[in-house]
Amino acid sequence: MIQRKPLPSVVKFNQLLNALTKMKHFSSSLDLFKQMCAIGVPVNEYSMSIAIKCCCQMSRTNDGFALLASCFRRAVVPNVFVFSTLLDGLVLEDRIIQAERLFKKLIKQKLCEPDVVMYSTMIKGLCKFGNNDIAIALLRLMDERACKPNVVVYSTIIDSLCKDKMIEDAFKLFSVHMLVKK
């Protein structure tokens, strides 16, 4: 692809990046991304988000943040998927405090409006570290911000409450969830 004249569109490169990433060839995907940048392919938010995801899946979230800075330099506006991916990377690396800081910054500075995936990522991280109270507070924040929690969100918190032997609280949340579904 790189040797063709004219170069294929960024869409074709993105398709290849995405295929490599789906096969979990994160390193190869990042190598291709670097080659794209080196030869002047006009990378877009989709290619940037794939590269950031690869970094995070390889426990190289700091490199993902470096790519985020590159987004701004290239006038590529990061979307909710990019920020969710970075949050997930921080959670995977057990860096929940940094994840919380980033999440608060995104909301406070209105860098993006969190969606159910982003909330779910944060709740997963909070529950992983036994921060059930904060996870439940985040669940309430979702309601306040008109972001409807899904079954994954409820299941994550209920599972964490049960693991922490807070069965009564788990049943209460389950009951609320069942009422919401009706």
Side-chain angles (χ1 to χ4, degrees):
M1 286 175 69
I2 290 172
Q3 295 173 349
R4 290 187 57 202
K5 299 293 180 203
L7 282 172
S9 72
V10 69
V11 173
K12 296 295 181 193
F13 280 101
N14 285 347
Q15 289 171 338
L16 183 55
L17 277 174
N18 194 36
L20 287 168
T21 302
K22 282 185 177 181
M23 293 187 299
K24 300 189 185 304
H25 295 291
F26 305 122
S27 185
S28 297
S29 187
L30 282 175
D31 288 341
L32 175 60
F33 177 79
K34 288 176 191 171
Q35 288 179 350
M36 289 168 59
C37 292
I39 63 170
V41 174
V43 295
N44 58 19
E45 71 181 27
Y46 189 66
S47 22
M48 295 296 278
S49 68
I50 293 171
I52 290 170
K53 178 179 182 173
C54 290
C55 291
C56 292
Q57 289 298 310
M58 294 169 58
S59 297
R60 293 173 34 197
T61 304
N62 286 344
D63 292 343
F65 278 103
L67 282 173
L68 177 65
S70 175
C71 283
F72 293 117
R73 285 193 301 276
R74 294 174 179 269
V76 174
V77 180
N79 58 19
V80 68
F81 178 78
V82 168
F83 290 118
S84 292
T85 301
L86 289 166
L87 285 170
D88 192 50
L90 291 170
V91 168
L92 287 172
E93 293 177 16
D94 296 338
R95 297 166 58 188
I96 192 63
I97 293 171
Q98 291 95 329
E100 284 183 81
R101 276 192 221 130
L102 175 60
F103 186 77
K104 288 175 183 174
K105 182 177 183 177
L106 293 173
I107 291 174
K108 189 174 184 179
Q109 295 181 4
K110 297 181 180 177
L111 296 173
C112 77
E113 184 61 34
D115 64 1
V116 69
V117 174
M118 184 180 283
Y119 280 108
S120 180
T121 299
M122 278 307 302
I123 287 171
K124 175 183 75 171
L126 291 164
C127 289
K128 181 179 177 182
F129 291 95
N131 295 329
N132 296 320
D133 292 341
I134 300 171
I136 291 169
L138 205 51
L139 180 65
R140 290 186 190 115
L141 180 65
M142 286 179 76
D143 281 333
E144 289 171 17
R145 297 180 74 97
C147 183
K148 188 176 179 185
N150 61 16
V151 69
V152 173
V153 171
Y154 281 105
S155 297
T156 301
I157 298 173
I158 290 169
D159 179 63
S160 182
L161 290 168
C162 289
K163 285 178 180 171
D164 289 346
K165 297 180 174 49
M166 301 172 74
I167 306 300
E168 192 173 311
D169 292 333
F171 274 121
K172 283 180 190 173
L173 186 58
F174 178 76
S175 297
V176 168
H177 170 63
M178 293 310 290
L179 289 174
V180 170
K181 279 186 77 171
K182 290 183 180 182

